RNA sequence: GCGAGAGUGGCGGAAUUGGCAGACGCGCUGGACUUAGGAUCCAGUGGUAUGACCGUAGGGGUUCGACUCCCCUCUCUCGCACCA
């Protein structure tokens, strides 16, 4: 009988579905285990990244189930988003149709992989039954001031035709369109007040012991907490004042000028009527037109313009000039800085360029700096000078003293600053959750009454050829009467960032049909937090930060009693593959290469770098092709065997073949010896075993121990699989040794074979299920307990002792297991090979490591 | 520049409370079976001057003993970066 994965996998998938083996209910009598993989965007079909992510999860899920846990393992669809609209523009398909077609395709692919999802909990975020709750949460946030609207400079992506959050800008470009530079645009946008939770989210990082340090450090970095002071500088020409934020209040006496960010609203006020007003406005406009990457790049020179106005240094009372400068960031601190050219390199360069004055206020130890001779700023520690009553103090201790002084004089105060900005959630897009707000001509901004939810996204609209959202052009959507006064009103036509949907979907999985609110408290109490979350590192900031924020919002709205959603996080590595290039035709798809030549022009191909699989590099492998060639089990085995999950996986067609061969070996092992093995029960632990049988018995239990440890403690499936391979090799050796196969021998082989099946079943569920039934078992492996190992089976009667001379291995001896240290030493010193090495030399010392080695120092 | 992680055969990777470096797999070599072999099985496979030698990016150190701990250097990956 040949191994026919396609037929056999289909059969078991049908049976699992028929018997509803993946369904799960709340059961207070059982330990719950919430296993979650990041839900996919329904982009068309599954790619290898999905397959790897979901395979890792499925192994954990099946393993935990066999260990007796009540496992929640849901899946759904992150179904709003721009690609659906792009498809609509390109192919004229409506986003809804496109999305649901993709869901159908990908769902059947997931099923073909044999993943153990509870499909009854499936959700799609573009379904009004989902997003209506998101709108309700929005309204509650709005009422608490956690959602607010403001006019400000925002990041605009021309390709997306929409605004982006700060987190969605990478190197000055859009996170989706990595070659589309983001520009600044002044407009009204909705924000979530994530900054209110900055401190809490940052603090809680220390408690997330189940998260990779890498992710935590990225989050801490992103929040960017710093300690400093706000200092107020009075304007010279009016009663106004300018606030600056600094972490270096110790250098305040050396502040000889001030710089505004070009966006700062005060600039326009103070230059009004100045002779250089027009010129400055032109400079501001020119600077803001630059995309943020160019503006902040290393090669961009620091530039500024004098505003014609002065302010007063609050401690020296000197008049200092006010500049507008391109390098000052509007959205950090107060958007204005005090410049201390002697102790800040950027300020130094700026001062030199524009001939501004310098004053040293920190002298380094054993050196005296002079303004006229300085060639760069001194940013180190030292003693304060020219700093009034603070002269002579160390600059670090003066940090606090000066801040206290400012506070007592009413000139400023200590403060903590964060780099994190509020989350801009407005999107000028169609395929998203409508923001439930109405603008009334008389009442102003009015929230949609809760009983009117959901604000349904109309599905009968066509996206224009320029890609812009049809919502602002559709009177039947935006024309509405004010719910308060009944007068003329207009709906908000922005939709929400799709990251809002993914910030709470894992709560909805616990109660997908709950009708009385977004979250059923009973279900959430039972299932949350997520015990294991698995996904790509690319969400280290975006999705994971937003989810941590949203959890706190939901908590403070009274929906849950929880601070952190994800107890343990596993960030799996990327799936990579060699690129192949033709000098003529560029990157080539594997199908376009034959015998190392380009199929179009016969040119020899160049093998390029190993990079993340991507359509643009054409170094992709279609999971569908693999499944129909080898079956899902082979794909699963390879994904896990090739590397540990957190590392990148390098694709290897030959490695896949190897995994397929391994499953074939198991298949033959069982089918070839089925008669022998099925006529006896598995070894019951009774009876005297010969040394050979005891070795096999021991290997079986060692393997159970190792596989359990590798999965349970560290998710190292690659070593778990190799341990099973070793056991298979051992059984084959045993069977090939031509021994007489008595009942006892058969029962031990059966024990070993059953261990192979059980241990491998989370990884390759189909073939193992088939083998399990062949051995006469009636129930699914999913309902079979995970095997335990017997400690007495691990016992050995002889131990191998390594003998070293001066730390180098020179010999090995076997001693009875009962030997103690002294006996081992005596026995080792008798060893002939050792004696040869020692020769005439005198033994200085002998180190004995119990049960392991003897090191003789001569 | 700051922060995090990594560097082991031809390749993917094993080995971490310091104790036989290279498990397992791929590839390769030889053999068996065969009309055939790109199936299967068996044997071998870090280097080498074949030594009792060398070898875990390089250099130092601690130790009886270091892939593992400490110091320095190099390389690579990722994140942040004119953050005041």
């Amino acid at each position: 009988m040949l191994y026919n994965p396609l037929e056999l996998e289909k059969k078991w998938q049908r049976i699992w579905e028929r018997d509803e083996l993946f369904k799960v209910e709340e059961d207070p009598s059982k330990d719950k285990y919430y296993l979650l993989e990041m839900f996919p965007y329904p982009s068309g079909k599954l790619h290898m990244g999905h397959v790897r992510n979901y395979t890792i999860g499925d192994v954990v899920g099946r393993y935990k189930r066999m260990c007796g846990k009540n496992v929640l393992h849901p899946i759904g669809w992150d179904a709003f988003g721009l690609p659906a609209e792009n498809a609509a523009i390109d192919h004229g398909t409506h986003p809804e149709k496109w999305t649901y077609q993709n869901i159908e395709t990908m769902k059947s692919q997931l099923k073909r992989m044999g993943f153990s999802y509870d499909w009854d909990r499936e959700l799609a975020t573009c379904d009004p039954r989902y997003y209506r709750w998101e709108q309700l949460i929005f309204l509650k946030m709005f009422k608490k001031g956690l959602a607010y609207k403001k006019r400000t400079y925002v990041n605009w992506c021309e390709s997306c035709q929409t605004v982006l959050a700060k987190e969605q800008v990478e190197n000055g470009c859009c996170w989706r369109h990595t070659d589309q530079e983001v520009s600044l645009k002044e407009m009204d946008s909705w924000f979530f007040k994530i900054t209110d939770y900055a401190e809490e989210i940052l603090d809680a990082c220390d408690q997330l012991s189940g998260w990779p340090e890498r992710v935590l450090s990225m989050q801490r970095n992103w929040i960017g907490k710093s300690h400093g002071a706000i200092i107020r500088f009075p304007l010279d020409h009016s009663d106004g004042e300018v606030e600056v934020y600094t972490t270096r209040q110790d250098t305040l006496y050396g502040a000889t000028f001030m710089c505004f960010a070009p966006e700062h609203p005060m600039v326009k006020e103070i230059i009004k009527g100045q002779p250089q007003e027009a010129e400055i406005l032109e400079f501001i406009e020119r600077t803001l037109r630059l995309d943020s990457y160019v503006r902040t790049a290393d090669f961009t020179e620091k530039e500024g313009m004098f505003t014609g106005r002065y302010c007063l240094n609050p401690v020296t009372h000197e008049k200092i000039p006010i500049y507008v400068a391109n390098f000052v960031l509007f959205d950090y601190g107060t958007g204005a800085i005090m410049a201390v050219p002697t102790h800040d390199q950027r300020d130094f360069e700026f001062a030199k360029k524009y001939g501004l004055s310098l004053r040293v206020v920190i002298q380094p130890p054993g050196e005296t700096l002079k303004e006229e001779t300085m060639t760069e700023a001194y940013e180190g520690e030292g003693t304060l000078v020219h700093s009034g009553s603070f002269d002579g103090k160390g600059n670090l201790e003066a940090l606090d003293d000066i801040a206290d002084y400012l506070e007592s004089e009413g000139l400023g105060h200590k403060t903590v600053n964060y780099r994190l900005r509020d989350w801009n959630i407005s999107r000028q897009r169609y395929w998203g959750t409508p923001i439930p707000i109405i603008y009334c001509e008389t009442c102003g901004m009015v929230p949609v009454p809760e009983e009117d939810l959901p604000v349904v996204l109309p599905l009968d609209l066509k996206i224009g050829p320029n890609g812009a959202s049809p919502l602002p052009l559709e009177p039947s959507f935006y024309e509405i009467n004010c719910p308060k006064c009944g007068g003329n009103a207009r709906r908000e036509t922005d939709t929400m960032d799709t990251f809002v949907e993914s910030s709470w979907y894992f709560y909805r999985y616990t109660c997908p049909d709950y009708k009385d609110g977004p979250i059923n408290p009973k279900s959430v109490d039972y299932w949350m937090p997520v015990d294991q979350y698995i996904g790509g590192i690319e969400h280290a900031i975006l999705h994971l930060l937003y989810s941590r924020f949203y959890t706190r919002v939901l908590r403070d709205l009274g929906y849950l009693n929880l601070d952190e959603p994800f107890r343990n996080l596993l960030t799996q590595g990327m799936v990579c593959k060699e690129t192949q290039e033709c000098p003529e035709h560029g990157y080539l798809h594997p199908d376009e290469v034959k015998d190392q030549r380009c199929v179009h022009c016969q040119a020899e191909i160049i093998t390029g770098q190993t990079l993340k699989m991507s359509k643009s590099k054409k170094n992709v492998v279609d999971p569908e092709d693999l499944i129909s060639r080898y079956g899902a089990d082979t794909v699963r085995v390879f994904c896990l065997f090739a590397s540990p999950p957190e590392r990148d996986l390098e694709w290897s067609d030959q490695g896949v073949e190897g995994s397929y061969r391994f499953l074939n070996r198991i298949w033959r092992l069982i089918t070839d010896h089925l008669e022998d093995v099925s006529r006896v029960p598995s070894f019951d632990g009774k009876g005297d075993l010969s040394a050979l049988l005891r070795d096999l018995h021991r290997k079986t239990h060692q393997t159970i121990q190792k596989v359990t440890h590798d999965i349970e403690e560290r998710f190292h499936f690659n070593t778990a699989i190799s341990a099973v391979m070793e056991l298979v090799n051992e059984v084959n050796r045993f069977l090939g040794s031509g021994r007489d196969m008595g009942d006892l021998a058969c029962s031990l082989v059966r024990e070993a074979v059953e261990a192979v099946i059980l241990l491998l079943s989370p990884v390759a569920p189909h073939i193992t299920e088939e083998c399990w039934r062949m051995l006469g078992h009636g129930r699914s492996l999913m309902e079979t307990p995970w095997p335990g190992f017997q400690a007495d089976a691990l016992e050995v009667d002889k131990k191998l002792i390594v003998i070293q001379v001066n730390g180098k291995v020179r010999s090995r001896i076997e001693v009875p297991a009962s030997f103690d240290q002294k006996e081992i030493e005596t026995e080792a010193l008798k060893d002939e090979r050792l004696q040869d090495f020692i020769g005439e030399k005198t033994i200085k010392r002998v180190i004995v490591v119990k049960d392991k080695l003897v090191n003789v120092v001569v």
Side-chain angles (χ1 to χ4, degrees), chain A residues 8-24 62 65 104 107-120 122 766 769 773 780 782-783:
Chain A
L8 168 168
E9 289 178 357
K10 219 180 286 166
K11 168 177 137 193
W12 286 107
Q13 283 160 14
R14 266 201 302 267
I15 294 174
W16 293 332
E17 194 156 343
R18 182 197 69 199
D19 296 347
E20 301 189 321
L21 285 181
F22 304 148
K23 268 186 88 157
V24 64
R62 287 174 180 267
R65 203 165 309 199
E104 269 323 297
K107 185 172 174 175
S108 81
Q109 290 184 308
L110 288 174
K111 288 192 170 179
R112 247 172 299 155
M113 283 299 297
F115 296 139
S116 59
Y117 297 120
D118 181 355
W119 285 101
D120 290 352
E122 178 186 7
H766 309 88
E769 194 85 272
R773 300 304 166 108
S780 166
M782 294 196 68
E783 300 172 299

Side-chain angles (χ1 to χ4, degrees), chain A residues 699-737:
Chain A
K699 184 73 182 178
T700 300
H701 287 268
Q702 278 172 345
T703 307
I704 295 172
Q705 184 184 34
K706 176 159 176 57
V707 171
T708 307
H709 177 263
D710 285 351
I711 297 181
E712 179 73 42
E713 302 298 326
R714 33 178 232 167
F715 294 155
H716 277 205
F717 313 109
N718 55 333
T719 51
I721 293 170
S722 68
V724 176
M725 286 174 171
E726 280 185 57
L727 180 56
V728 171
N729 292 345
E730 182 89 4
V731 176
N732 274 324
R733 255 196 303 278
F734 181 86
L735 291 167
S737 63

Side-chain angles (χ1 to χ4, degrees), chain A residues 28-42:
Chain A
S29 70
K30 275 166 105 182
D31 259 3
K32 68 95 183 179
Y33 190 87
Y34 188 172
L35 167 69
L36 183 67
E37 297 122 45
M38 290 181 184
F39 69 165
Y41 179 79

Side-chain angles (χ1 to χ4, degrees), chain A residues 594-609:
Chain A
K594 207 168 184 188
D595 301 327
Q596 298 296 298
R597 289 183 179 279
C598 171
V599 294
H600 308 295
C601 65
Q602 298 306 311
E604 213 164 305
I605 56 133
I606 307 152
T607 299
Q609 287 171 289

Side-chain angles (χ1 to χ4, degrees), chain A residues 20 31 59 104 119 167 173 188 195 277 447 484 613 635 738:
Chain A
E20 301 189 321
D31 259 3
V59 174
E104 269 323 297
W119 285 101
E167 293 81 3
C173 294
D188 290 316
T195 52
E277 181 177 359
K484 253 190 191 164
M613 279 190 184
V635 179

Side-chain angles (χ1 to χ4, degrees), chain A residues 257 321 323 348-358:
Chain A
F257 61 100
Y323 276 72
F348 183 85
E349 287 165 24
F350 194 85
K352 283 289 166 193
K353 182 167 178 177
Y354 295 103
L356 298 161
S357 62
L358 278 63

